[in-house]
Structures are given as structure tokens and as C-alpha cells.
């Protein structure tokens, strides 16, 4: 099995060849057996030398590692960036003809490290492994995690921690920031080459489009709408939605200060560096619209030779975002209640239910499970808010809406089962298993990972005990890891 590197056929200004920096005593602590079989790459990393290849101490014979250049708007401020601690081993063409990047994250300094150490902590790499695989199991497009290697070296962050290297699998690592870099720092020919490569790799159906750059913008916009709606369906907060973290392949990428919302509140934010709540749960649609405008700006020279005409075409498409997002968003919300194509009365009910959750600080995930369970659960196991007249009236109203449609609760449950997860990576549980893993006890991590592989599977008891107290929720913070 051979690795390819079609990305390096692009102009050399878009990447730099660089080898990983060797580590002292690599130890493979996680290997994603199911993903390795799915990609058919077991032979690529023979077990006897697996840890050496997956930390970069050994380089595959047909690999010529490189780091990608990109830029990005970070919290609204534009800056030159690049793979500061990630190195691409190459691309794998799987049996279904899907091309995948194989990347080592935390594998040492690159020409884009900008003073950084190029390393990652074992805790942050375990976190990305856990959350990315959970997102995949939730049915949300995401990069995947193949392995985690403990390096045997220390990394200095808020504290001195053990170092780790993650092997990340992605449809590609082309970002909106990649286009921003090319537009601002390179020439039109290089921008055109990147655009053509992206279309051929990710959206070959656009090769017959009358205006390929404009069609690419629309494709990415629709893909990002679907992605953000899926995030909001499960209460996921990315935490750092910079343009360099927005994938052109429309996968969730770069799990830094991400977290899952417990008590419903659109203003929820956990990232320690997001002091103004720019990337709060409810702001994510507006942010991706803004990021897409940055993407559109990079494509203007290619959309039309006349700048004004190009701007008009791009703006007309971007102005479609609110309408397209609202349609998908309401479709998602309706399905969480087991309904499709909501009418005005049903939308009003949904708004009232969300308002009740916010005002009551009700758990986002569990509230839908309580509604779904109806009278199947013993009232003495319920948190008091679900026994309140407000919730009971909402439940009666929901049943009335089902009756008006001629539906029974059991009929809508099939939809709810598919859209409302029973288990999510609860923040406190994530921190617990990472803390145990940092002390050498990986068992809780592996048990939790196994549980997250079937997030929609119903169990006898709703996991109320997993929800943190409000004080814990309010003080919980996540960190970037760089």
C-alpha cells in the first residue's frame, strides 16, 4: 500500500517539506482498530514498528512529510499561520476511492511554528481522540483519530505535562484560511490552482459547472450549514471557529477548547480565551456566515473578471445563507420533537420549549429524553423542574400537536431516537477520564469511549447523574492546548 501526496503537486508556496522531530521513548497507548480496518491500513503501520511510525521517529518509505501554509481570521483578526505542530505523512486512497490525509499532530516544529514548540500534551491529544470519535458516532462529519502516542517527553503549558502525538485522518486539511493565505500572499495563478485542486478532490461534480468558483462557494456554504445545524442538534460548541478552523471539506476540525452544552442557554461558552463569547453556542451560525464571507472574498478574482460583477454574484449567494440556514435549523428542531415541516403553531411551541429550558436551566440533552419517555419513567427519579406545571403543560401541548396531526407518541419516537442522543461527552466526565489517563489509568477513558460509540442506544435510566451542578457548569473552562 502506497501513500500519495497530490497536495504537493500544487505550487510549493502552499507547503514546506519537513520531517517530524524524533521523540525519546514513544509508547502507543491508543490504536483505532475499527478505523484502521475501515481504511484498510493495518499493513501500512506494522504492529512491531507502529509506535515508531506514528510518532515520526521512522518515516514510511514512500512518504515525504510536509506542513501546509495557511492564514486565518482569529477572533476577527487576520494573521499569517500554518501547520505549526502538524505534519502530513501523505494521502491514502481507500478502497471506496476516497482520499484521506494522514497527519501527525504534535510532531515537532515546522517552518510555520512561529515560536511555538511544535508539541502537544497527551491530555489534549486524548481529548481530540475522544471527542472526534464521539462526533463521528453521533453522525456528524468530523476528522477521525487513528492513534495516540505518548512521547516520553514533557511539554510546558499551564503546567508541565506529558507529551503526546495524535494521528489525524481527514478528507483534507484545506481550510478557508488556506484560501485566505493564497489570496493575500500569493498570485492569481496559485489561487486558481488551489481552487481547481479543491474542486477535483472534494467536489468533482462541479467540474461541469458554468461558474466553478461560485459553485464551490455555494457547495461549501450548504455543507457548513448542515454541519453547524448538526452541532446545534447535539449541543456542541466548537469554541474557536476561526477561519483557519473551517474545513472546505465541511468536517469538524481542530478540537481545542470544544465542549458540550449541558444546561440550555444560547450564550453558553466554555473557552478560556473567548472572553467576549464570540463563539458561544448561539453565535455559531452567524460566525460561519462571516467565515463564508471571508471565503467568498478570496474567490472574487475567479468568479468574474469584473470586480463589481463578481461582488454582486458572491453577495447574492451569501444573502441566501439566512434563509437556507433557517430552513435546515427548523427542520432539525422539528425532528428533535418527532415532527417534520413545522407549521406556525408548532414553531411557537418549540420556541416556548426552548425558552423554558433556558429559564429553567434545564439540561438540553435530557429534556428531550424526558419528553420522549413520557410516563415510562418513575416520577421520583426526575429532577424537580420536570415535575413543574410549566413542563407538564408543555408536555400536554406537545401531545395535542401530535393529535392534531393524527400521530401517536410511539410513532414520533422513531424520529426522536435518531436525532436525540442518549449519551454525549459530558464535560465533567471528559475531564475525569482525562485526569485518570494522565495518572496512567486508561480504563475509564476506554470505557467511556466504548459508551460513546452507540450514543443513540436507549437504556433504562436517563443519565441525570452525569449532569454537573450549576456551579460546576458556570466555572467550567476549556483550553486551546497550544
Amino acid at each position: 500500500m502506497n501513500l500519495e501526496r497530490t497536495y504537493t503537486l500544487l505550487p510549493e508556496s502552499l507547503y514546506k517539506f519537513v520531517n517530524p522531530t524524533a521523540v525519546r521513548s514513544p509508547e502507543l497507548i491508543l490504536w483505532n482498530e475499527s478505523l484502521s480496518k475501515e481504511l484498510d491500513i493495518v499493513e501500512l503501520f506494522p504492529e512491531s514498528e507502529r509506535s515508531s511510525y506514528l510518532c515520526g521517529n521512522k518515516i514510511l518509505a514512500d512518504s515525504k512529510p510536509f506542513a501546509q501554509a495557511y492564514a486565518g481570521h482569529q477572533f476577527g483578526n487576520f494573521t499569517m499561520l500554518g501547520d505549526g505542530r502538524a505534519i502530513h505523512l501523505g494521502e491514502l486512497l481507500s478502497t471506496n476511492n476516497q482520499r484521506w490525509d494522514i497527519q501527525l499532530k504534535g510532531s515537532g516544529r515546522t517552518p510555520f511554528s512561529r515560536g511555538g514548540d511544535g508539541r502537544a500534551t497527551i491530555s489534549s491529544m486524548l481529548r481530540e481522540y475522544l471527542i472526534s470519535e464521539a462526533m463521528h458516532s453521533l453522525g456528524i462529519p468530523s476528522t477521525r483519530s487513528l492513534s495516540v502516542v505518548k512521547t516520553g517527553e514533557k511539554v510546558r503549558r499551564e503546567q508541565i505535562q506529558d507529551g503526546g502525538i495524535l494521528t489525524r485522518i481527514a478528507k483534507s486539511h484545506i481550510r478557508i484560511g488556506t484560501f485566505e493565505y493564497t489570496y493575500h500572499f500569493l498570485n492569481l495563478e496559485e489561487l486558481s490552482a488551489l481552487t481547481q485542486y479543491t474542486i477535483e478532490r472534494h467536489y468533482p461534480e462541479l467540474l461541469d459547472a458554468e461558474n466553478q468558483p461560485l459553485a464551490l462557494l455555494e457547495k461549501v456554504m450548504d455543507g457548513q450549514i448542515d454541519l453547524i445545524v448538526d452541532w446545534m442538534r447535539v449541543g456542541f460548541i466548537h469554541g474557536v471557529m476561526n477561519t483557519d478552523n473551517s474545513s472546505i471539506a465541511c468536517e469538524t476540525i481542530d478540537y481545542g477548547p470544544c465542549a458540550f452544552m449541558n444546561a440550555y442557554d444560547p450564550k453558553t461558552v466554555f473557552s478560556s480565551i473567548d472572553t467576549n463569547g464570540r463563539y458561544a453556542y448561539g453565535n455559531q451560525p452567524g460566525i460561519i456566515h462571516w467565515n463564508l464571507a471571508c471565503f467568498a472574498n478570496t474567490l472574487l478574482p475567479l468568479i468574474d473578471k469584473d470586480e463589481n460583477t463578481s461582488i454582486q454574484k458572491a453577495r447574492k449567494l451569501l444573502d441566501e445563507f439566512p434563509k437556507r440556514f433557517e430552513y435546515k435549523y427548523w427542520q432539525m428542531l422539528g425532528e428533535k420533537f418527532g415532527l417534520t415541516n413545522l407549521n406556525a403553531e408548532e414553531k411557537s411551541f418549540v420556541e416556548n420549549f426552548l425558552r423554558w429550558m433556558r429559564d429553567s436551566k434545564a439540561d438540553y440533552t435530557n429534556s428531550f429524553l424526558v419528553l420522549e419517555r413520557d410516563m415510562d419513567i418513575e416520577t421520583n427519579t426526575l429532577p424537580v423542574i420536570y415535575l413543574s406545571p410549566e413542563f407538564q403543560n408543555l408536555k400536554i401541548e406537545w401531545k395535542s400537536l401530535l393529535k392534531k396531526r393524527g400521530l401517536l407518541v410511539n410513532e414520533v419516537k422513531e424520529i426522536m431516537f435518531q436525532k436525540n442522543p442518549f449519551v454525549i461527552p459530558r464535560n465533567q466526565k471528559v475531564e475525569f477520564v482525562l485526569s485518570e489517563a494522565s495518572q496512567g489509568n486508561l480504563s475509564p477513558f476506554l470505557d467511556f469511549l466504548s459508551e460513546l460509540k452507540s450514543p443513540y442506544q436507549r437504556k433504562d435510566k436517563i443519565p441525570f447523574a452525569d449532569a454537573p451542578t450549576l456551579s460546576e457548569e458556570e466555572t467550567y473552562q476549556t483550553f486551546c492546548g497550544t
Side-chain angles (χ1 to χ4, degrees), residues 23 25-29 122 148-153 162-165 438:
V23 299
S25 52
E27 176 190 357
L28 181 66
I29 61 171
I122 190 70
V148 174
V149 171
K150 190 174 181 179
T151 64
E153 300 176 352
D162 290 329
I165 296 173
S438 70

Side-chain angles (χ1 to χ4, degrees), residues 18 20-21 55 66-68 70 81-88 103-114 116-125 128 155-157 163-166 168 175 240 245 254-257 479-482:
V18 58
T21 303
C55 75
F66 65 94
Q68 289 181 344
Y70 51 84
L81 299 163
D83 287 328
R85 57 173 182 165
I87 295 176
H88 297 250
Q103 182 194 74
L104 299 183
K105 187 173 180 179
S107 51
R109 287 178 52 78
T110 78
F112 308 110
S113 292
R114 308 179 301 283
D117 60 11
R119 291 304 188 188
T121 66
I122 190 70
S123 180
S124 62
M125 297 300 92
E128 176 156 346
V155 175
R156 185 182 296 274
R157 293 294 182 264
I165 296 173
L166 175 87
R168 182 160 69 185
R175 313 152 186 264
V240 60
N245 292 336
D254 285 329
Y255 292 89
F479 299 89
C480 196
T482 56

Side-chain angles (χ1 to χ4, degrees), residues 233-298:
R233 176 175 63 83
V234 299
F236 176 76
I237 304 166
H238 186 278
V240 60
M241 286 178 65
N242 299 327
T243 55
D244 54 290
N245 292 336
S246 294
S247 163
I248 295 298
C250 300
E251 294 181 307
T252 314
I253 190 171
D254 285 329
Y255 292 89
C258 66
F260 281 76
M261 177 174 65
N262 291 305
Y264 176 77
D265 187 346
K267 294 181 181 178
T268 302
V269 59
F270 295 113
S271 172
S272 62
I273 58 176
D274 192 2
T275 53
N276 295 317
R278 175 183 174 91
Y279 299 138
Y281 172 80
N283 288 348
Q284 293 179 132
I287 289 297
I288 200 61
H289 192 192
W290 193 89
N291 289 357
L292 287 163
C294 293
F295 181 43
N297 185 66
T298 70

